[in-house]
């Protein structure tokens, strides 16, 4: 479970890196940079947790490295709306994932996981914020928004599934 | 009342055995069984008349025999033996059929808390006979006999010699982990200096391999047993936990692909050193330790070389970029007209 979260934050980092590479010098550069910095903090926190709990990182990290970057760069090439649409799709997937983890932890033993629950809730709120930011910045005005969003979310679900096992 | 007395004698028998440590969970199991049996006692009044000989250190083995033979037919009869320690617990549990073979804690409460502990006891005793019989069922039978059990008890081990070998390596790994944890604590408390990674790895592997020295003559047999297809998953699991533990105590906290490369490297070192050790005839295996030292140096060198390559690559890339920009300036491409 922690493995998937770690992989997710890693992937998100790479997506923002890709977006920055293309749009870094434009108006939205500042905004993307902010969101990226928050993701970096998330990743650092997960690195800590993984090491503490001696969890194995996913073997597919190099894959997420490349795939994330390409996704970020590719959508950014579609313009600012593209980048925002990508952000919306990914953040929605991640929030959904965190929510289901929170539900699972609450079901199992809320007292034992108090710290972890707090952390995941905090991160989920951050991700929702990114999601809303994306919407604010005209993500939906991208032509083919629904298709792109669907495709990206499908990819995220697949990534989560695989990272849990591998 | 009679059961109470029997229970007290059980306690004495357990203390008499001494070497088998009591753990809390089988005790809880016993408590539950106790209540289970307390609930069933009313139904089993007639079973009380079945003579269960009083347990004492001397006759406990016969009691064990009785249980072992009685087990298939009378699952519930002996559970009332555990009634004495049970009364204080308040849990009432719906009676469940005691059909799980592994869940015999109530029945075998006389000598051993659980079947696993009994098996461990036998296998430990069997290790003494490995030099004589090799890693085989004969060794297990001989071990069982020293505990006063019948030689046929080795039939309990479905995997035969594999069980013995796996038990041994699990034990060795646990010992090593204990030592490393102890060292770790000492470093935390500031009572010892932290070792450098290479040194730590070398010491850990050497310590672990030295545990094999008493059995070195038969170790090739053990290795081949571990390579049998039905043993491979377990032996791989033990190996990977061992390597993970060693790296963890060596200070590795990586969360990227290095996690895998480090463990793969150490696995390779460990396996090759083990192979070298088997055919090493030098004094105190000095050749093996030299080999180990060299392999670890290799890894350290490769890591260093990789780092250097990475930083050189970066420097080269930056140099090229700089050259490209200079060229653009020279040819005037950068100027807007």
């Amino acid at each position: 479970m922690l493995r998937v979260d770690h992989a997710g934050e890693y992937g998100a980092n790479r997506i923002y890196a890709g977006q920055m590479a293309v749009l870094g010098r434009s108006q939205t550069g500042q905004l993307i940079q902010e969101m990226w910095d928050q993701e970096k903090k998330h990743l650092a926190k997960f690195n800590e947790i993984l090491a503490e709990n001696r969890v194995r990182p996913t073997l597919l990290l190099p894959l997420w490295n490349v795939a994330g970057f390409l996704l970020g760069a590719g959508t950014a090439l579609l313009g600012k709306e593209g980048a925002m649409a990508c952000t919306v799709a990914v953040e929605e997937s991640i929030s959904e994932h965190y929510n289901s983890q929170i539900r699972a932890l609450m079901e199992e033993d809320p007292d034992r996981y108090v710290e972890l629950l707090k952390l995941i809730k905090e991160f989920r709120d951050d991700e929702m914020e990114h999601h809303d930011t994306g919407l604010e910045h005209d993500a939906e005005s991208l032509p083919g928004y629904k298709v792109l969003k669907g495709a990206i979310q499908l990819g995220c679900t697949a990534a989560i599934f695989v990272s849990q096992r591998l | 009342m009679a059961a109470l007395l029997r229970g007290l004698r059980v306690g004495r028998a357990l203390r008499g055995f001494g070497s088998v440590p009591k753990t809390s969970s089988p005790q809880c199991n016993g408590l539950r069984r106790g209540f289970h049996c307390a609930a069933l006692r009313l139904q089993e009044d007639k079973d009380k008349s079945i003579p269960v000989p009083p347990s004492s250190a001397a006759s406990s083995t016969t009691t064990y025999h009785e249980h072992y033979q009685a087990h298939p037919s009378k699952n519930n009869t002996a559970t009332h033996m555990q009634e004495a320690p049970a009364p204080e617990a308040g849990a009432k549990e719906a009676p469940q059929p005691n059909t799980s073979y592994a869940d015999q804690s109530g029945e075998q409460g006389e000598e051993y808390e659980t079947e696993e502990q009994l098996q461990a006891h036998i296998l430990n005793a069997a290790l003494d006979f490995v030099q004589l019989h090799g890693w085989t069922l004969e060794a297990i039978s001989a071990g069982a006999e020293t505990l006063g059990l019948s030689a046929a008890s080795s039939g309990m081990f479905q995997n035969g010699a594999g069980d013995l070998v796996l038990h041994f390596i699990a034990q060795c790994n646990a010992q090593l982990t204990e030592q490393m944890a102890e060292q770790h604590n000492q470093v935390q408390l500031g009572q010892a200096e932290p070792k450098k990674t290479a040194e730590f790895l070398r010491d850990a592997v050497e310590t672990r391999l030295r545990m094999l020295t008493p059995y070195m003559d038969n170790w090739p047999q053990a290795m081949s047993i571990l390579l049998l297809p039905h043993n491979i998953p377990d032996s791989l699991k033990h190996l990977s936990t061992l390597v993970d533990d060693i790296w963890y105590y060596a200070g590795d906290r990586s969360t990227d692909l290095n996690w895998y490369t480090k463990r793969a490297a150490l696995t390779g070192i460990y396996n090759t050193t083990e192979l070298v050790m088997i055919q090493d005839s030098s004094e105190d295996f000095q050749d093996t330790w030299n080999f180990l030292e060299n392999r670890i140096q290799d890894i350290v060198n490769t890591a260093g070389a990789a780092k250097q390559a990475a930083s050189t690559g970066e420097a080269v890339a930056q140099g090229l970029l700089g050259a490209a920009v200079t060229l653009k300036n020279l040819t005037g491409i950068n100027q807007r007209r």
Side-chain angles (χ1 to χ4, degrees), chain B residues 79-91:
Chain B
T79 55
H80 67 252
M81 293 301 297
Q82 280 288 65
E83 191 222 39
E88 295 82 56

Side-chain angles (χ1 to χ4, degrees), chain B residues 35-336:
Chain B
F35 260 87
H36 166 209
C37 70
L40 287 176
R41 264 166 66 79
L42 295 170
Q43 307 167 19
E44 290 177 341
D45 269 336
K46 62 180 185 336
D47 289 337
K48 265 205 238 170
S49 62
I50 292 177
V52 183
S55 314
S56 66
S59 64
S60 51
T61 55
T62 44
T63 321
Y64 170 76
H65 274 281
E66 195 124 340
H67 278 293
Y68 196 63
Q69 293 149 13
H71 147 257
S73 45
K74 298 175 173 86
N75 276 338
N76 296 324
T77 52
T79 55
H80 67 252
M81 293 301 297
Q82 280 288 65
E83 191 222 39
E88 295 82 56
K92 265 229 150 86
E93 201 183 301
Q96 301 161 9
N98 186 13
T99 50
S100 143
Y101 191 58
D103 202 12
Q104 299 291 331
S105 41
E107 284 191 21
Q108 296 176 352
E110 276 77 5
E111 293 78 40
Y112 301 98
E113 285 78 5
T114 62
E115 180 180 318
E116 283 86 36
Q117 291 200 327
L118 173 64
Q119 290 194 341
H121 219 67
I122 296 182
L123 291 176
N124 280 338
L127 287 177
D128 292 330
F129 294 91
V130 166
Q131 294 218 352
L132 186 56
H133 294 295
W135 301 89
T136 57
L137 276 175
E138 278 85 45
I140 302 183
S141 300
E145 276 174 349
T146 57
L147 292 180
L149 305 168
S150 122
S153 323
S154 61
M156 209 188 338
F157 298 99
Q158 306 256 350
N159 199 6
D163 276 336
L164 184 57
V165 180
L166 288 171
H167 169 84
F168 176 64
I169 53 179
Q171 207 182 40
C172 289
N173 290 356
Q175 263 182 315
L176 179 68
T177 314
E178 234 179 85
Q179 280 190 6
M180 292 197 292
E182 181 58 43
Q183 277 183 20
H184 188 71
N185 277 345
Q186 298 230 321
V187 170
Q188 300 279 42
L189 295 173
Q191 286 169 5
E193 288 296 317
K195 291 185 190 168
K196 299 181 70 76
T197 312
E199 201 190 316
F200 184 91
L201 293 179
R202 199 194 57 228
D203 286 342
V205 177
E206 188 179 326
T207 313
R208 175 62 177 78
L209 287 176
R210 276 195 190 274
M211 295 182 198
L212 301 176
T213 42
Y215 307 94
M216 203 29 82
D217 296 329
N218 308 93
W219 194 246
Q221 185 194 15
M223 284 182 77
S224 61
I225 291 178
L226 286 176
L227 283 174
L228 290 174
H230 56 268
N231 284 331
I232 287 189
D234 284 325
S235 67
L236 280 181
K237 197 170 53 129
H238 283 299
L239 182 59
S240 54
T241 336
L242 171 71
V243 170
D244 187 31
D245 283 340
I246 296 183
W247 266 120
Y248 177 74
Y249 285 110
D252 175 48
R253 298 287 180 275
S254 54
T255 50
D256 54 2
L257 214 55
N258 280 330
W259 193 95
Y260 289 91
T261 53
K262 282 182 175 173
R263 278 151 185 77
L266 187 58
T267 310
I269 295 180
Y270 180 80
N271 282 335
T272 48
T273 312
E274 200 180 355
L275 286 171
V276 165
M277 194 170 171
I278 290 183
Q279 44 81 51
D280 186 6
S281 49
S282 62
E283 178 72 38
D284 191 37
F285 298 102
Q286 201 47 48
D287 284 347
T288 310
W289 311 136
N290 291 340
F291 177 86
L292 176 61
E293 174 77 40
N294 289 338
R295 293 293 73 70
I296 294 200
Q297 267 315 113
D298 284 346
I299 298 291
V300 169
N301 290 344
T302 343
K307 266 199 210 123
Q308 277 198 347
S311 57
T312 314
E314 269 175 34
V316 165
Q318 291 211 340
L320 282 175
L321 263 171
V325 170
T326 314
L327 255 170
K328 276 162 67 171
N329 286 341
L330 285 176
T331 54
I333 297 178
N334 267 358
Q335 293 179 13
R336 289 179 204 281

Side-chain angles (χ1 to χ4, degrees), chain A residues 44-57:
Chain A
K45 189 70 196 157
F46 271 119
N47 277 335
E48 245 181 70
I49 297 183
L50 233 63
E52 254 173 51
N53 292 295
R54 299 183 62 176
V55 177
R56 169 178 72 87

